[in-house]
């Protein structure tokens, strides 16, 4: 019985810490002058969250072809749905993507094209 209680406590503690580790918006961008702009970004799929939830994409990991975008994430090229593209001007210059990982793979909620400089 003691072993069972100890196991339950350890598993419960591990799940609390794992949940904390997965949370991304830890306040480190709270003082950024672009925070409110990032928080306001949205695509046709809805709000993109904030800078803490998005990931910068290197110029070699995204491209435009025939008016459509695609990004390379985790070693695979993923087509960006047209309604996921953020159409307002990019204030940071670099491309950013807000991926969603699900049981069917990775989908793109928002994509902010970069300047490719």
């Amino acid at each position: 019985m003691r072993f069972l209680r100890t196991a339950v406590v350890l598993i419960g503690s591990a799940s609390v810490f794992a949940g904390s580790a997965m949370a991304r918006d830890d306040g480190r961008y709270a003082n950024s002058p672009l925070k409110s702009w990032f928080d306001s970004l949205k695509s046709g799929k809805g709000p993109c969250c904030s800078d803490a939830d998005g990931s910068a994409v290197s110029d070699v990991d995204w491209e435009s072809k025939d008016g459509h975008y695609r990004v390379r994430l985790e070693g695979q090229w993923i087509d960006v749905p047209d309604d996921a593209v953020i159409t307002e001007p990019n204030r940071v210059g670099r491309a950013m993507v807000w991926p969603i990982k699900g049981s069917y793979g990775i989908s793109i909620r928002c994509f902010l094209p970069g300047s490719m400089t």
Side-chain angles (χ1 to χ4, degrees), residues 91-103:
R91 293 187 187 179
V92 292
R94 66 187 187 267
M96 295 194 69
V97 65
W98 285 258
I100 298 173
K101 295 180 184 179
S103 57

Side-chain angles (χ1 to χ4, degrees), residues 12-50:
S13 298
S15 64
V16 167
F17 288 118
S20 298
M22 292 176 67
R24 295 173 136 196
D25 191 359
D26 59 7
R28 70 184 127 170
Y29 300 104
N31 296 322
S32 169
L34 293 176
K35 182 175 181 357
S36 62
W37 177 73
F38 275 112
D39 288 343
S40 72
L41 290 177
K42 57 185 158 191
S43 70
K45 294 181 169 281
C48 301
C49 299
S50 69

Side-chain angles (χ1 to χ4, degrees), residues 52-116:
D53 298 317
S55 301
V57 182
S58 299
D59 285 348
V60 297
D61 290 327
W62 72 278
E63 63 184 19
S64 174
K65 184 176 181 183
D66 300 325
H68 301 282
Y69 296 99
R70 67 182 194 150
V71 295
R72 184 172 33 207
L73 298 172
E74 297 183 7
Q76 63 180 328
W77 283 100
I78 301 168
D79 292 324
V80 175
D82 291 339
D83 62 345
V85 177
I86 300 169
T87 57
E88 72 176 80
N90 184 334
R91 293 187 187 179
V92 292
R94 66 187 187 267
M96 295 194 69
V97 65
W98 285 258
I100 298 173
K101 295 180 184 179
S103 57
Y104 294 109
I106 300 173
S107 62
I108 306 299
R109 179 165 182 88
C110 296
F111 176 71
L112 181 63
S115 60
M116 294 189 89

